[in-house]
Amino acid sequence: MLLGMDDAQQADLRLALKDVAHVVRSKTSADQIAAEYKSLNPGAAIVSVHSDTPALFGIIHNISAAGGIVIVVSETKDPELILRSMRAGAREFVLESDHEELRLAVRTHAKSTVGAGELGQVVTIFGSKGGVGATAIATNLAGAMQRRNLRVCLVDLDLYLGDVLAFLDIPGSYSITDVLANMNRLDRDLLASSVTKHRSGINVLAQSSKVEEAEQIKGPDVAALLEFLRRNYDFVIVDGVRGFDEISLAALDGSQHVFMTLTQDVPAVRNGQRCLELFGRLQYDQGRVKLLLNRYVKASKITIEVVGETLGQPLTHTISNDFLLLIDAINRGVLLTEVAPRARITQDIEGLIPHLLPERAPRMRRQSLLGTLFGKKVVDGTT
Ligand SMILES: Nc1ncnc2c1ncn2[C@@H]1O[C@H](COP(=O)(O)OP(=O)(O)OP(=O)(O)O)[C@@H](O)[C@H]1O
Ligand SMILES: [Mg+2]
C-alpha cells in the first residue's frame, strides 16, 4: 500500500514493484489511513516522507503500533528523517530512487497476504527431461518464498533417489509415509514441528531411506498428501516428478501450477513438445502449465524464439545460466537467497513468485487428470 505520494511518484514505485508485490494506493484522508490499513490488511505500507510532512510520522506510528509493516522512502538519506522514521516504528528507510533496495526491503519485510483459511498453491517443477535443473529451481524457489515470509513446504516425490535433502544438506527425519500415516491427527503447528526444517525456515518432506515404505505410496496417497499440505501452507513446491507414472500424474493433477522446465538443447525441446502434447490430450486448463527456460543463454544457437516456435507458445519465464554460483551453493547445502541474494539467477527465480500468487492462479479443473488417463477417480475430494 502506497502512502503520501503524488501520481508520478506512485507510478514510478508501482513499476519498480510490479514483479514483487500487488500495489494499492491509499485513497483516504490522513486521519482515515490507519483504519483503511486495518481493513485492507496489506503486506506492508510504503510511506514517502519529506521534512515538511510531519503528519506522516504519526501515521507510521499508528500503522506500526497496530502490527503493520512500514517501509519509508525518501528523496535523501537525511539523518533526521531516518531517525524520526525509525522512532515511529518503520522497518526500513530506502532512497526513493533506489528501486533495487526497495524491492529487497519489500521482499524481506512485507508479510504474505495469502490469508489464513485459504488453500495454498501446489507448484510442480517438472523437467522435460532429466538434469534440466528442476531440483535447483524447486529448492531455491522455496527459499525465495520463505524469504518473503510465505509458509512453504518443499516435497520431494522422487521416492527412491530424491535430491532435495542433499541439495539442502539436511537429514530427512520425518518422511512422507509418516505424514500420510498421521494426517488425521496433525494440525498446522504439529505438522510444522514434525517436518524436517532447513535453517532458512523451509519445511521439507521427502521419503525415508526405507525402500519398502516408498513402494507402498500410490497415486491416491500423493493426491491426499498434496491436498492436506495445501491446507497448511501458502505454497507446496513439488520436485522429483518424472514422466507420467501414477505418482507423477497424481502430483500434476493436484498442482495449480506446473513449470515445465527446459533447456536450450534438442532433447529437452523435443521432450517438451511431447509433454505439451500429452498435457493437451489430457485437457489441461490454459494457464496451468507454464514453460520455464532454465540456464538461459541469449547467444545460444537454439534461441528462445526457436524454442517458443517449436513448442507453439512463447517462453515468458527464463532463469539465467550461472553454473559456478549454483554448484557451489548446492555443494555447500545453501540457498541462493542466502549466499547471493542479488545475483541474476536468484532474482530470476524470485521473479517467478508473483506469477504464482493466488489471484493469478487458474481455476481448478474439476476433472481429474488421472481419471482422464486411467478412467478412474483420484481420492482427493475434488473429483
Ligand atoms: N540456472 C542454472 N545455471 C547453471 N547451472 C544449472 C542451472 N540450473 C541447474 N544447473 C545445474 O544443472 C545440474 C542439474 O541440476 P538439477 O539436479 O537441479 O536438475 P534436475 O532436473 O533436478 O535433475 P534430475 O533429473 O537428476 O532430478 C546441476 O549441476 C546444476 O548445478
Ligand atoms: Mg532433481
Side-chain angles (χ1 to χ4, degrees):
M1 182 172 166
L2 304 180
L3 292 171
M5 295 175 201
D6 61 26
D7 287 347
Q9 219 178 348
Q10 194 220 141
D12 192 38
L13 294 195
R14 216 177 249 282
L15 195 65
L17 293 169
K18 78 174 174 11
D19 291 333
V20 179
H22 175 65
V23 177
V24 291
R25 184 189 192 183
S26 170
K27 295 184 198 74
T28 49
S29 56
D31 56 332
Q32 294 293 315
I33 283 174
E36 190 191 25
Y37 189 91
K38 216 169 163 191
S39 75
L40 274 179
N41 193 22
I46 300 174
V47 185
S48 171
V49 300
H50 307 270
S51 47
D52 56 352
T53 53
L56 284 174
F57 293 103
I59 290 169
I60 294 170
H61 174 78
N62 289 347
I63 292 175
S64 306
I69 309 277
V70 178
I71 295 165
V72 168
V73 293
S74 191
E75 268 174 5
T76 56
K77 281 209 162 171
D78 177 344
E80 174 70 19
L81 284 180
I82 297 177
L83 195 64
R84 289 178 72 184
S85 302
M86 294 306 169
R87 275 197 191 132
R91 292 285 178 98
E92 192 95 49
F93 189 101
V94 182
L95 263 188
E96 212 171 272
S97 52
D98 192 345
H99 291 175
E100 195 57 34
E101 196 65 33
L102 179 62
R103 280 195 287 269
L104 192 65
V106 169
R107 284 199 189 102
T108 310
H109 296 293
K111 284 191 284 201
S112 152
T113 50
V114 180
E118 277 177 36
L119 286 177
Q121 308 278 303
V122 181
V123 183
T124 290
I125 313 298
F126 181 88
S128 74
K129 71 172 182 82
V132 291
T135 307
I137 294 168
T139 47
N140 287 294
L141 178 60
M145 286 174 165
Q146 183 67 39
R147 208 162 83 106
R148 284 180 68 164
N149 297 327
L150 293 158
R151 288 169 300 139
V152 54
C153 185
L154 178 59
V155 181
D156 192 344
L157 280 184
D158 186 342
L159 304 175
Y160 298 98
L161 291 170
D163 283 332
V164 166
L165 295 174
F167 268 54
L168 296 176
D169 192 23
I170 46 175
S173 45
Y174 202 70
S175 73
I176 290 174
T177 304
D178 297 326
V179 172
L180 283 170
N182 294 299
M183 234 157 39
N184 297 337
R185 294 194 294 110
L186 290 173
D187 62 15
R188 182 173 292 180
D189 292 338
L190 207 54
L191 175 66
S193 64
S194 314
V195 298
T196 309
K197 276 197 206 65
H198 184 250
R199 67 175 170 279
S200 64
I202 310 173
N203 289 200
V204 183
L205 257 187
Q207 191 46 313
S208 72
S209 52
K210 294 185 196 136
V211 177
E212 62 281 10
E213 279 186 7
E215 276 168 358
Q216 302 299 317
I217 298 173
K218 305 289 180 223
D221 299 316
V222 169
L225 175 75
L226 296 180
E227 273 304 308
F228 171 71
L229 292 176
R230 69 188 286 243
R231 287 201 295 275
N232 291 286
Y233 291 93
D234 297 326
F235 283 97
V236 180
I237 308 290
V238 183
D239 180 43
V241 175
R242 280 162 206 281
F244 293 92
D245 63 10
E246 192 196 2
I247 298 232
S248 302
L249 284 170
L252 292 167
D253 202 40
S255 299
Q256 283 66 52
H257 306 272
V258 176
F259 273 118
M260 190 173 77
T261 309
L262 308 127
T263 39
Q264 286 160 294
D265 56 275
V266 172
V269 177
R270 220 184 243 180
N271 270 9
Q273 234 174 347
R274 287 161 58 192
C275 293
L276 280 186
E277 221 173 84
L278 192 53
F279 289 144
R281 268 194 13 231
L282 297 167
Q283 302 164 1
Y284 261 123
D285 299 75
Q286 281 281 318
R288 189 193 308 205
V289 180
K290 297 165 178 64
L291 302 183
L292 177 57
L293 188 57
N294 189 27
R295 309 195 67 165
Y296 173 48
V297 177
K298 203 164 178 222
S300 166
K301 276 193 183 152
I302 303 185
T303 62
I304 187 167
E305 288 79 17
V306 165
V307 179
E309 274 161 33
T310 313
L311 296 176
Q313 49 180 292
L315 280 98
T316 42
H317 308 292
T318 57
I319 295 178
S320 321
N321 188 45
D322 194 337
F323 184 74
L324 289 181
L325 178 60
L326 187 61
I327 201 69
D328 181 55
I330 293 170
N331 288 338
R332 289 162 55 202
V334 295
L335 294 166
L336 291 172
T337 47
E338 296 175 292
V339 289
R342 286 165 184 268
R344 182 78 185 272
I345 180 172
T346 317
Q347 305 259 323
D348 288 344
I349 294 174
E350 285 188 13
L352 300 175
I353 299 175
H355 300 276
L356 300 170
L357 294 173
E359 57 272 22
R360 301 218 195 166
R363 283 170 65 81
M364 270 295 282
R365 197 164 42 81
R366 302 299 304 167
Q367 195 184 9
S368 127
L369 184 59
L370 257 185
T372 317
L373 257 196
F374 295 137
K376 58 183 178 185
K377 301 213 168 213
V378 181
V379 191
D380 66 354
T382 61
T383 52

